[in-house]
Amino acid sequence: MEAWAVAVIAAVVFLVVASCVCGCCCAPPGDLGSVLFDTIAAPTKQNTFLLNGLDNVLAAYRPVWCLRHWFVNTLFAVAKPSPRPPTLRFFVGEAEVDVLEPNVYWPVADPGCKLGTAPDGAPTLIIVPGIGGGIDSPTGRDTMRHAYEMGWRSVLVTHRGCGEVPLRHRQSFTWGVTTDLESAVRFVIDRYPNTTIFGAGFSMGSNQLLKFMGTVNEDPESDLYHALSGAFSYSNAFFLKWGYDMFANGKKTIKMGEQAILENAKKGFKKAQPELQADPAVAEMLSAGTIEQFDRLHLSNSFGHENFDAAVEDASCGTHIHRITRPVVSLLSRDDPIYPDEVEEFKRTMPLYQPNLIFMISSAGGHIGWYQHMMGSSRYRSQRYLSLKEQLISHFGPKMLQLAQQHQLPAEPAHTAPQPAEQAVWHHFRDSADETYVAMELLSDV
């Protein structure tokens, strides 16, 4: 038997055994298919419009039984097979972007499509993958495919050092540097001047996206002022320090995840130009044993930051999101190995300061997981809802587009500094085999 066939069989056996042992033992009592959701948002007219009908989406969500455990769900998110879309590649600044037009023929997704170029006015979804990600990312490909089937154009950003072009200097991609994303947004505006742009960020990419939304996108002096009309954030820890603390104090499985992140962070330097690899500062970064050590060296050696704590605070999107005036949907999972305890308080209080942010927290889903209908049966062929991530884009995307096209989005920043609103809404949704429970609680003093 060929080696690749043995590897595939071994992977399948591992998924099944791990799911049976871990998923059943660690799942909460009751129906293994049920998942609990908290949706937290300010009770504004805009949010009422956006959230209308969301219960139907959540009630229909059923994770595949063999992906019920967070570790298997997370592993599947980075290793699942996903067809490469027929994109056009462009080099913008030091990044690469792959563009998928909704009218390009792609029989895997929609046999009825015809060759052609989408009109400039088609909505555009800019996808910002996690650390080390690019067009080979299953999550990125799945999101492009879903945008395609919605009739949207998608543009996937491959960060500097992660694509075909090797690094030319010590400034690789990092959590809080939005330069590559800014280049991608300018590319879209120049190429499609009549489009409405949205963003979708995953893990590290979600931090970059929301920092952009709270800084450049809200800067009247910037040429990208209000360039994005909305955003989707998945598995965002909001403050880097929370992540560092989790890795430092976490269990073995969390430390395994940290090593995977660390290897991706080093990847760009390992395939950089020879003269850069010979740089002593780069060699020092490659010797880092934790992601915090790597970031400390990277921010100091490459970006000149002398105060690490101040640099980390500025790089964290949680420092800036109170300025966002465009709708943002943030999906997190409590079984995510990188879900800091501090998020529980943060997600309850932030809607008091930020009316444009909708938090959604599930009881299961792993890190950028939330997969269902794993095999993609013909019943789901037309919509391809492989993950709750895509379902939320399908639900919120057209509503955000309607708000943008009708010019119903706020024109001024929410607050120059955090200011408490009168109240927020805590929407707790539970659906199981026995009951459906929905409760609304006003939060005025948290």
Side-chain angles (χ1 to χ4, degrees):
M1 184 178 294
E2 297 289 340
W4 65 266
V6 174
V8 170
I9 294 172
V12 171
V13 171
F14 169 78
L15 287 174
V16 173
V17 173
S19 300
C20 292
V21 174
C22 300
C24 296
C25 294
C26 301
D31 179 15
L32 279 179
S34 66
V35 176
L36 309 185
F37 289 91
D38 284 341
T39 303
I40 307 171
T44 63
K45 182 179 179 181
Q46 172 180 288
N47 287 341
T48 300
F49 169 69
L50 291 172
L51 292 169
N52 183 38
L54 180 64
D55 284 350
N56 295 329
V57 176
L58 302 183
Y61 172 66
R62 286 292 183 274
V64 178
W65 68 271
C66 67
L67 299 181
R68 186 62 177 79
H69 188 252
W70 70 263
F71 181 77
V72 182
N73 208 321
T74 303
L75 182 64
F76 189 71
V78 298
K80 68 180 289 294
S82 184
R84 185 185 178 105
T87 60
L88 295 174
R89 173 161 292 185
F90 300 87
F91 298 90
V92 294
E94 295 185 57
E96 302 165 25
V97 296
D98 283 270
V99 179
L100 177 61
E101 300 283 7
N103 288 356
V104 171
Y105 182 58
W106 192 15
V108 170
D110 186 352
C113 276
K114 297 180 180 179
L115 289 169
T117 302
D120 287 350
T124 299
L125 183 68
I126 295 180
I127 301 166
V128 191
I131 191 166
I135 191 60
D136 294 328
S137 160
T139 299
R141 291 186 180 189
D142 287 347
T143 308
M144 294 189 88
R145 178 170 182 167
H146 192 73
Y148 174 91
E149 291 175 342
M150 288 174 61
W152 287 26
R153 176 187 301 106
S154 59
V155 177
L156 188 142
V157 182
T158 298
H159 300 289
R160 63 186 68 188
C162 297
E164 298 178 4
V165 180
L167 280 174
R168 298 192 297 270
H169 51 71
R170 293 200 302 253
Q171 291 187 354
S172 180
F173 63 92
T174 189
W175 314 90
V177 177
T178 61
T179 308
D180 292 342
L181 175 56
E182 293 170 35
S183 297
V185 175
R186 289 191 181 94
F187 165 82
V188 171
I189 292 174
D190 291 343
R191 188 173 176 87
Y192 311 102
N194 298 317
T195 191
T196 303
I197 309 174
F198 301 89
F202 303 89
S203 192
M204 182 199 78
S206 66
N207 186 82
Q208 289 183 337
L209 176 61
L210 293 200
K211 183 185 177 185
F212 172 88
M213 294 292 291
T215 54
V216 178
N217 207 59
E218 295 297 341
D219 181 5
E221 303 289 323
S222 171
D223 61 322
L224 300 180
Y225 179 55
H226 288 169
L228 267 63
S229 298
F232 299 88
S233 167
Y234 301 100
S235 299
N236 191 336
F238 296 98
F239 287 93
L240 300 185
K241 186 179 184 307
W242 294 350
Y244 296 151
D245 292 344
M246 278 201 69
F247 288 138
N249 304 313
K251 299 179 180 179
K252 185 176 181 180
T253 49
I254 295 179
K255 293 186 180 296
M256 289 171 56
E258 180 186 20
Q259 289 305 307
I261 294 173
L262 181 60
E263 285 304 308
N264 276 313
K266 295 177 179 179
K267 183 168 62 175
F269 292 106
K270 289 183 177 180
K271 62 177 185 179
Q273 296 178 347
E275 58 271 21
L276 183 58
Q277 293 186 30
D279 187 330
V282 171
E284 186 180 20
M285 285 187 279
L286 292 177
S287 68
T290 68
I291 194 66
E292 182 176 3
Q293 292 173 1
F294 178 87
D295 285 349
R296 187 179 293 272
L297 292 168
H298 193 198
L299 291 174
S300 173
N301 295 345
S302 303
F303 294 92
H305 292 296
E306 297 181 0
N307 188 328
F308 178 69
D309 292 338
V312 165
E313 182 178 0
D314 180 69
S316 301
C317 70
T319 305
H320 309 281
I321 59 176
H322 63 274
R323 300 186 181 94
I324 297 175
T325 63
R326 290 337 189 214
V328 173
V329 176
S330 178
L331 178 62
L332 306 103
S333 177
R334 286 192 174 93
D335 70 348
D336 185 341
I338 316 177
Y339 180 82
D341 294 338
E342 293 89 344
V343 171
E344 285 297 323
E345 180 67 13
F346 182 73
K347 53 92 174 173
R348 283 178 63 92
T349 57
M350 182 48 64
L352 297 173
Y353 303 100
Q354 172 49 278
N356 300 302
L357 179 61
I358 296 175
F359 271 107
M360 296 185 61
I361 302 94
S362 65
S363 61
H367 188 72
I368 60 171
W370 296 284
Y371 281 99
Q372 59 177 334
H373 314 317
M374 180 174 62
M375 299 305 173
S377 65
S378 58
R379 174 185 175 190
Y380 301 101
R381 178 177 295 276
S382 61
Q383 296 176 317
R384 294 295 297 184
Y385 284 159
L386 297 180
S387 168
L388 183 63
K389 302 188 296 289
E390 286 83 45
Q391 284 182 290
L392 294 185
I393 293 175
S394 189
H395 171 81
F396 287 106
K399 291 173 178 282
M400 291 182 182
L401 179 62
Q402 181 177 336
L403 290 174
Q405 292 178 337
Q406 295 179 357
H407 305 288
Q408 295 182 9
L409 298 174
E412 299 299 328
H415 305 292
T416 55
Q419 300 289 331
E422 292 183 0
Q423 60 186 14
V425 169
W426 178 20
H427 176 192
H428 179 75
F429 177 85
R430 176 179 181 178
D431 181 86
S432 71
D434 302 321
E435 63 177 330
T436 297
Y437 171 72
V438 179
M440 306 291 283
E441 176 185 348
L442 294 181
L443 304 180
S444 56
D445 184 14
V446 294

